[in-house]
PDB file of all heavy atoms in Angstrom:
ATOM      1  N   ARG A   1      54.039   2.630 -27.664  1.00  0.00           N
ATOM      2  CA  ARG A   1      53.720   1.195 -27.531  1.00  0.00           C
ATOM      3  C   ARG A   1      54.417   0.383 -28.606  1.00  0.00           C
ATOM      4  O   ARG A   1      54.950  -0.699 -28.338  1.00  0.00           O
ATOM      5  CB  ARG A   1      52.212   0.967 -27.612  1.00  0.00           C
ATOM      6  CG  ARG A   1      51.471   1.281 -26.343  1.00  0.00           C
ATOM      7  CD  ARG A   1      50.070   0.692 -26.315  1.00  0.00           C
ATOM      8  NE  ARG A   1      49.283   0.938 -27.508  1.00  0.00           N
ATOM      9  CZ  ARG A   1      48.452   1.949 -27.674  1.00  0.00           C
ATOM     10  NH1 ARG A   1      48.290   2.824 -26.715  1.00  0.00           N
ATOM     11  NH2 ARG A   1      47.767   2.076 -28.784  1.00  0.00           N
ATOM     12  N   VAL A   2      54.426   0.892 -29.836  1.00  0.00           N
ATOM     13  CA  VAL A   2      55.056   0.173 -30.950  1.00  0.00           C
ATOM     14  C   VAL A   2      56.555   0.014 -30.700  1.00  0.00           C
ATOM     15  O   VAL A   2      57.105  -1.084 -30.837  1.00  0.00           O
ATOM     16  CB  VAL A   2      54.787   0.891 -32.288  1.00  0.00           C
ATOM     17  CG1 VAL A   2      55.671   0.361 -33.389  1.00  0.00           C
ATOM     18  CG2 VAL A   2      53.327   0.766 -32.673  1.00  0.00           C
ATOM     19  N   GLU A   3      57.225   1.091 -30.328  1.00  0.00           N
ATOM     20  CA  GLU A   3      58.674   1.008 -30.092  1.00  0.00           C
ATOM     21  C   GLU A   3      59.003   0.151 -28.886  1.00  0.00           C
ATOM     22  O   GLU A   3      59.989  -0.587 -28.894  1.00  0.00           O
ATOM     23  CB  GLU A   3      59.294   2.395 -29.953  1.00  0.00           C
ATOM     24  CG  GLU A   3      59.514   3.085 -31.262  1.00  0.00           C
ATOM     25  CD  GLU A   3      60.351   2.270 -32.254  1.00  0.00           C
ATOM     26  OE1 GLU A   3      61.315   1.581 -31.854  1.00  0.00           O
ATOM     27  OE2 GLU A   3      60.049   2.332 -33.449  1.00  0.00           O
ATOM     28  N   LEU A   4      58.195   0.230 -27.845  1.00  0.00           N
ATOM     29  CA  LEU A   4      58.422  -0.610 -26.675  1.00  0.00           C
ATOM     30  C   LEU A   4      58.291  -2.087 -27.063  1.00  0.00           C
ATOM     31  O   LEU A   4      59.124  -2.913 -26.674  1.00  0.00           O
ATOM     32  CB  LEU A   4      57.449  -0.255 -25.548  1.00  0.00           C
ATOM     33  CG  LEU A   4      57.583  -1.079 -24.273  1.00  0.00           C
ATOM     34  CD1 LEU A   4      58.984  -0.933 -23.668  1.00  0.00           C
ATOM     35  CD2 LEU A   4      56.503  -0.670 -23.274  1.00  0.00           C
ATOM     36  N   ALA A   5      57.281  -2.414 -27.845  1.00  0.00           N
ATOM     37  CA  ALA A   5      57.101  -3.806 -28.300  1.00  0.00           C
ATOM     38  C   ALA A   5      58.297  -4.259 -29.135  1.00  0.00           C
ATOM     39  O   ALA A   5      58.740  -5.410 -29.017  1.00  0.00           O
ATOM     40  CB  ALA A   5      55.807  -3.940 -29.097  1.00  0.00           C
ATOM     41  N   ARG A   6      58.846  -3.384 -29.942  1.00  0.00           N
ATOM     42  CA  ARG A   6      60.012  -3.734 -30.763  1.00  0.00           C
ATOM     43  C   ARG A   6      61.244  -3.989 -29.905  1.00  0.00           C
ATOM     44  O   ARG A   6      62.014  -4.905 -30.163  1.00  0.00           O
ATOM     45  CB  ARG A   6      60.297  -2.632 -31.774  1.00  0.00           C
ATOM     46  CG  ARG A   6      59.289  -2.558 -32.887  1.00  0.00           C
ATOM     47  CD  ARG A   6      59.564  -1.387 -33.796  1.00  0.00           C
ATOM     48  NE  ARG A   6      58.614  -1.343 -34.894  1.00  0.00           N
ATOM     49  CZ  ARG A   6      58.428  -0.311 -35.678  1.00  0.00           C
ATOM     50  NH1 ARG A   6      59.135   0.801 -35.502  1.00  0.00           N
ATOM     51  NH2 ARG A   6      57.546  -0.350 -36.650  1.00  0.00           N
ATOM     52  N   VAL A   7      61.436  -3.165 -28.881  1.00  0.00           N
ATOM     53  CA  VAL A   7      62.575  -3.373 -27.977  1.00  0.00           C
ATOM     54  C   VAL A   7      62.418  -4.710 -27.260  1.00  0.00           C
ATOM     55  O   VAL A   7      63.372  -5.491 -27.176  1.00  0.00           O
ATOM     56  CB  VAL A   7      62.704  -2.226 -26.948  1.00  0.00           C
ATOM     57  CG1 VAL A   7      63.719  -2.563 -25.871  1.00  0.00           C
ATOM     58  CG2 VAL A   7      63.068  -0.933 -27.628  1.00  0.00           C
ATOM     59  N   VAL A   8      61.234  -4.970 -26.745  1.00  0.00           N
ATOM     60  CA  VAL A   8      60.994  -6.225 -26.025  1.00  0.00           C
ATOM     61  C   VAL A   8      61.210  -7.419 -26.950  1.00  0.00           C
ATOM     62  O   VAL A   8      61.850  -8.405 -26.571  1.00  0.00           O
ATOM     63  CB  VAL A   8      59.582  -6.237 -25.402  1.00  0.00           C
ATOM     64  CG1 VAL A   8      59.228  -7.613 -24.866  1.00  0.00           C
ATOM     65  CG2 VAL A   8      59.485  -5.177 -24.308  1.00  0.00           C
ATOM     66  N   GLN A   9      60.712  -7.332 -28.169  1.00  0.00           N
ATOM     67  CA  GLN A   9      60.900  -8.424 -29.127  1.00  0.00           C
ATOM     68  C   GLN A   9      62.385  -8.638 -29.408  1.00  0.00           C
ATOM     69  O   GLN A   9      62.865  -9.777 -29.435  1.00  0.00           O
ATOM     70  CB  GLN A   9      60.155  -8.138 -30.423  1.00  0.00           C
ATOM     71  CG  GLN A   9      60.324  -9.226 -31.467  1.00  0.00           C
ATOM     72  CD  GLN A   9      59.602  -8.896 -32.757  1.00  0.00           C
ATOM     73  OE1 GLN A   9      59.162  -7.767 -32.978  1.00  0.00           O
ATOM     74  NE2 GLN A   9      59.473  -9.879 -33.615  1.00  0.00           N
ATOM     75  N   ARG A  10      63.115  -7.565 -29.628  1.00  0.00           N
ATOM     76  CA  ARG A  10      64.554  -7.685 -29.884  1.00  0.00           C
ATOM     77  C   ARG A  10      65.261  -8.315 -28.694  1.00  0.00           C
ATOM     78  O   ARG A  10      66.118  -9.174 -28.845  1.00  0.00           O
ATOM     79  CB  ARG A  10      65.152  -6.304 -30.203  1.00  0.00           C
ATOM     80  CG  ARG A  10      66.638  -6.320 -30.385  1.00  0.00           C
ATOM     81  CD  ARG A  10      67.029  -7.147 -31.616  1.00  0.00           C
ATOM     82  NE  ARG A  10      68.460  -7.322 -31.677  1.00  0.00           N
ATOM     83  CZ  ARG A  10      69.070  -8.479 -31.856  1.00  0.00           C
ATOM     84  NH1 ARG A  10      68.368  -9.573 -32.030  1.00  0.00           N
ATOM     85  NH2 ARG A  10      70.374  -8.558 -31.873  1.00  0.00           N
ATOM     86  N   TRP A  11      64.896  -7.895 -27.485  1.00  0.00           N
ATOM     87  CA  TRP A  11      65.511  -8.422 -26.270  1.00  0.00           C
ATOM     88  C   TRP A  11      65.295  -9.932 -26.176  1.00  0.00           C
ATOM     89  O   TRP A  11      66.210 -10.681 -25.823  1.00  0.00           O
ATOM     90  CB  TRP A  11      64.937  -7.707 -25.054  1.00  0.00           C
ATOM     91  CG  TRP A  11      65.643  -8.039 -23.783  1.00  0.00           C
ATOM     92  CD1 TRP A  11      65.209  -8.878 -22.804  1.00  0.00           C
ATOM     93  CD2 TRP A  11      66.908  -7.540 -23.344  1.00  0.00           C
ATOM     94  NE1 TRP A  11      66.121  -8.931 -21.788  1.00  0.00           N
ATOM     95  CE2 TRP A  11      67.172  -8.113 -22.099  1.00  0.00           C
ATOM     96  CE3 TRP A  11      67.827  -6.661 -23.895  1.00  0.00           C
ATOM     97  CZ2 TRP A  11      68.345  -7.836 -21.375  1.00  0.00           C
ATOM     98  CZ3 TRP A  11      68.981  -6.387 -23.191  1.00  0.00           C
ATOM     99  CH2 TRP A  11      69.229  -6.976 -21.948  1.00  0.00           C
ATOM    100  N   ARG A  12      64.105 -10.371 -26.492  1.00  0.00           N
ATOM    101  CA  ARG A  12      63.788 -11.808 -26.420  1.00  0.00           C
ATOM    102  C   ARG A  12      64.578 -12.627 -27.432  1.00  0.00           C
ATOM    103  O   ARG A  12      64.756 -13.826 -27.251  1.00  0.00           O
ATOM    104  CB  ARG A  12      62.300 -12.024 -26.639  1.00  0.00           C
ATOM    105  CG  ARG A  12      61.462 -11.558 -25.483  1.00  0.00           C
ATOM    106  CD  ARG A  12      60.002 -11.774 -25.743  1.00  0.00           C
ATOM    107  NE  ARG A  12      59.225 -11.314 -24.608  1.00  0.00           N
ATOM    108  CZ  ARG A  12      57.965 -10.956 -24.672  1.00  0.00           C
ATOM    109  NH1 ARG A  12      57.308 -11.021 -25.827  1.00  0.00           N
ATOM    110  NH2 ARG A  12      57.330 -10.548 -23.598  1.00  0.00           N
ATOM    111  N   GLN A  13      65.040 -12.005 -28.489  1.00  0.00           N
ATOM    112  CA  GLN A  13      65.806 -12.701 -29.522  1.00  0.00           C
ATOM    113  C   GLN A  13      67.288 -12.829 -29.171  1.00  0.00           C
ATOM    114  O   GLN A  13      68.003 -13.603 -29.801  1.00  0.00           O
ATOM    115  CB  GLN A  13      65.688 -11.963 -30.862  1.00  0.00           C
ATOM    116  CG  GLN A  13      64.298 -11.953 -31.433  1.00  0.00           C
ATOM    117  CD  GLN A  13      64.171 -11.005 -32.610  1.00  0.00           C
ATOM    118  OE1 GLN A  13      65.029 -10.160 -32.851  1.00  0.00           O
ATOM    119  NE2 GLN A  13      63.081 -11.134 -33.351  1.00  0.00           N
ATOM    120  N   LEU A  14      67.738 -12.063 -28.183  1.00  0.00           N
ATOM    121  CA  LEU A  14      69.164 -12.050 -27.859  1.00  0.00           C
ATOM    122  C   LEU A  14      69.578 -13.304 -27.097  1.00  0.00           C
ATOM    123  O   LEU A  14      68.881 -13.730 -26.168  1.00  0.00           O
ATOM    124  CB  LEU A  14      69.507 -10.831 -26.993  1.00  0.00           C
ATOM    125  CG  LEU A  14      69.369  -9.464 -27.624  1.00  0.00           C
ATOM    126  CD1 LEU A  14      69.659  -8.389 -26.567  1.00  0.00           C
ATOM    127  CD2 LEU A  14      70.303  -9.309 -28.803  1.00  0.00           C
ATOM    128  N   PRO A  15      70.723 -13.876 -27.449  1.00  0.00           N
ATOM    129  CA  PRO A  15      71.296 -14.916 -26.595  1.00  0.00           C
ATOM    130  C   PRO A  15      71.634 -14.298 -25.232  1.00  0.00           C
ATOM    131  O   PRO A  15      71.865 -13.082 -25.131  1.00  0.00           O
ATOM    132  CB  PRO A  15      72.565 -15.337 -27.330  1.00  0.00           C
ATOM    133  CG  PRO A  15      72.402 -14.842 -28.727  1.00  0.00           C
ATOM    134  CD  PRO A  15      71.509 -13.644 -28.645  1.00  0.00           C
ATOM    135  N   LEU A  16      71.692 -15.110 -24.210  1.00  0.00           N
ATOM    136  CA  LEU A  16      71.896 -14.606 -22.853  1.00  0.00           C
ATOM    137  C   LEU A  16      73.174 -13.776 -22.719  1.00  0.00           C
ATOM    138  O   LEU A  16      73.156 -12.732 -22.074  1.00  0.00           O
ATOM    139  CB  LEU A  16      71.912 -15.762 -21.849  1.00  0.00           C
ATOM    140  CG  LEU A  16      72.019 -15.369 -20.379  1.00  0.00           C
ATOM    141  CD1 LEU A  16      70.898 -14.402 -19.990  1.00  0.00           C
ATOM    142  CD2 LEU A  16      72.005 -16.605 -19.510  1.00  0.00           C
ATOM    143  N   ASP A  17      74.256 -14.200 -23.344  1.00  0.00           N
ATOM    144  CA  ASP A  17      75.492 -13.425 -23.218  1.00  0.00           C
ATOM    145  C   ASP A  17      75.358 -12.036 -23.843  1.00  0.00           C
ATOM    146  O   ASP A  17      75.876 -11.053 -23.317  1.00  0.00           O
ATOM    147  CB  ASP A  17      76.694 -14.181 -23.796  1.00  0.00           C
ATOM    148  CG  ASP A  17      76.560 -14.490 -25.278  1.00  0.00           C
ATOM    149  OD1 ASP A  17      75.438 -14.662 -25.768  1.00  0.00           O
ATOM    150  OD2 ASP A  17      77.610 -14.565 -25.957  1.00  0.00           O
ATOM    151  N   GLN A  18      74.636 -11.929 -24.959  1.00  0.00           N
ATOM    152  CA  GLN A  18      74.404 -10.615 -25.571  1.00  0.00           C
ATOM    153  C   GLN A  18      73.468  -9.772 -24.711  1.00  0.00           C
ATOM    154  O   GLN A  18      73.637  -8.556 -24.609  1.00  0.00           O
ATOM    155  CB  GLN A  18      73.817 -10.758 -26.968  1.00  0.00           C
ATOM    156  CG  GLN A  18      74.847 -11.039 -28.034  1.00  0.00           C
ATOM    157  CD  GLN A  18      74.188 -11.015 -29.392  1.00  0.00           C
ATOM    158  OE1 GLN A  18      73.585 -12.011 -29.806  1.00  0.00           O
ATOM    159  NE2 GLN A  18      74.291  -9.901 -30.063  1.00  0.00           N
ATOM    160  N   ALA A  19      72.474 -10.414 -24.106  1.00  0.00           N
ATOM    161  CA  ALA A  19      71.568  -9.684 -23.214  1.00  0.00           C
ATOM    162  C   ALA A  19      72.352  -9.119 -22.032  1.00  0.00           C
ATOM    163  O   ALA A  19      72.184  -7.947 -21.667  1.00  0.00           O
ATOM    164  CB  ALA A  19      70.440 -10.583 -22.743  1.00  0.00           C
ATOM    165  N   ARG A  20      73.209  -9.932 -21.469  1.00  0.00           N
ATOM    166  CA  ARG A  20      74.028  -9.446 -20.343  1.00  0.00           C
ATOM    167  C   ARG A  20      74.912  -8.270 -20.767  1.00  0.00           C
ATOM    168  O   ARG A  20      75.060  -7.305 -20.029  1.00  0.00           O
ATOM    169  CB  ARG A  20      74.881 -10.580 -19.782  1.00  0.00           C
ATOM    170  CG  ARG A  20      74.102 -11.542 -18.948  1.00  0.00           C
ATOM    171  CD  ARG A  20      75.013 -12.536 -18.258  1.00  0.00           C
ATOM    172  NE  ARG A  20      74.238 -13.447 -17.452  1.00  0.00           N
ATOM    173  CZ  ARG A  20      74.355 -14.756 -17.495  1.00  0.00           C
ATOM    174  NH1 ARG A  20      75.240 -15.327 -18.303  1.00  0.00           N
ATOM    175  NH2 ARG A  20      73.601 -15.516 -16.731  1.00  0.00           N
ATOM    176  N   SER A  21      75.483  -8.365 -21.962  1.00  0.00           N
ATOM    177  CA  SER A  21      76.345  -7.260 -22.407  1.00  0.00           C
ATOM    178  C   SER A  21      75.532  -6.022 -22.783  1.00  0.00           C
ATOM    179  O   SER A  21      76.068  -4.916 -22.799  1.00  0.00           O
ATOM    180  CB  SER A  21      77.241  -7.703 -23.570  1.00  0.00           C
ATOM    181  OG  SER A  21      76.483  -7.961 -24.719  1.00  0.00           O
ATOM    182  N   GLY A  22      74.247  -6.185 -23.068  1.00  0.00           N
ATOM    183  CA  GLY A  22      73.385  -5.056 -23.376  1.00  0.00           C
ATOM    184  C   GLY A  22      72.757  -4.402 -22.158  1.00  0.00           C
ATOM    185  O   GLY A  22      72.121  -3.345 -22.266  1.00  0.00           O
ATOM    186  N   MET A  23      72.946  -5.009 -20.990  1.00  0.00           N
ATOM    187  CA  MET A  23      72.341  -4.467 -19.769  1.00  0.00           C
ATOM    188  C   MET A  23      72.752  -3.022 -19.474  1.00  0.00           C
ATOM    189  O   MET A  23      71.893  -2.236 -19.060  1.00  0.00           O
ATOM    190  CB  MET A  23      72.654  -5.373 -18.570  1.00  0.00           C
ATOM    191  CG  MET A  23      71.832  -6.652 -18.534  1.00  0.00           C
ATOM    192  SD  MET A  23      70.074  -6.368 -18.224  1.00  0.00           S
ATOM    193  CE  MET A  23      70.107  -5.863 -16.508  1.00  0.00           C
ATOM    194  N   PRO A  24      74.006  -2.617 -19.682  1.00  0.00           N
ATOM    195  CA  PRO A  24      74.339  -1.214 -19.386  1.00  0.00           C
ATOM    196  C   PRO A  24      73.515  -0.207 -20.209  1.00  0.00           C
ATOM    197  O   PRO A  24      73.103   0.824 -19.681  1.00  0.00           O
ATOM    198  CB  PRO A  24      75.834  -1.116 -19.728  1.00  0.00           C
ATOM    199  CG  PRO A  24      76.346  -2.509 -19.550  1.00  0.00           C
ATOM    200  CD  PRO A  24      75.211  -3.398 -19.995  1.00  0.00           C
ATOM    201  N   GLN A  25      73.247  -0.527 -21.480  1.00  0.00           N
ATOM    202  CA  GLN A  25      72.428   0.371 -22.297  1.00  0.00           C
ATOM    203  C   GLN A  25      71.003   0.440 -21.759  1.00  0.00           C
ATOM    204  O   GLN A  25      70.403   1.515 -21.696  1.00  0.00           O
ATOM    205  CB  GLN A  25      72.409  -0.082 -23.762  1.00  0.00           C
ATOM    206  CG  GLN A  25      73.721   0.079 -24.475  1.00  0.00           C
ATOM    207  CD  GLN A  25      74.563  -1.188 -24.418  1.00  0.00           C
ATOM    208  OE1 GLN A  25      74.431  -2.030 -23.544  1.00  0.00           O
ATOM    209  NE2 GLN A  25      75.457  -1.321 -25.387  1.00  0.00           N
ATOM    210  N   VAL A  26      70.467  -0.711 -21.377  1.00  0.00           N
ATOM    211  CA  VAL A  26      69.103  -0.732 -20.845  1.00  0.00           C
ATOM    212  C   VAL A  26      69.057  -0.012 -19.507  1.00  0.00           C
ATOM    213  O   VAL A  26      68.156   0.789 -19.252  1.00  0.00           O
ATOM    214  CB  VAL A  26      68.580  -2.180 -20.702  1.00  0.00           C
ATOM    215  CG1 VAL A  26      67.173  -2.189 -20.126  1.00  0.00           C
ATOM    216  CG2 VAL A  26      68.607  -2.901 -22.038  1.00  0.00           C
TER     217      VAL A  26
END
């Protein structure tokens, strides 16, 4: 739960272009 919350928090901090570029890892 702790690590999942950290991933979600990090994802919410990403600008949209970085989120899009991070999609393959996710």
Side-chain angles (χ1 to χ4, degrees):
R1 281 196 312 267
V2 167
E3 281 305 322
L4 180 60
R6 288 176 178 165
V7 170
V8 170
Q9 179 181 13
R10 176 65 188 130
W11 188 257
R12 289 179 180 157
Q13 295 169 346
L14 294 176
L16 184 56
D17 61 330
Q18 278 186 278
R20 284 188 180 130
S21 67
M23 284 292 290
Q25 291 93 336
V26 179

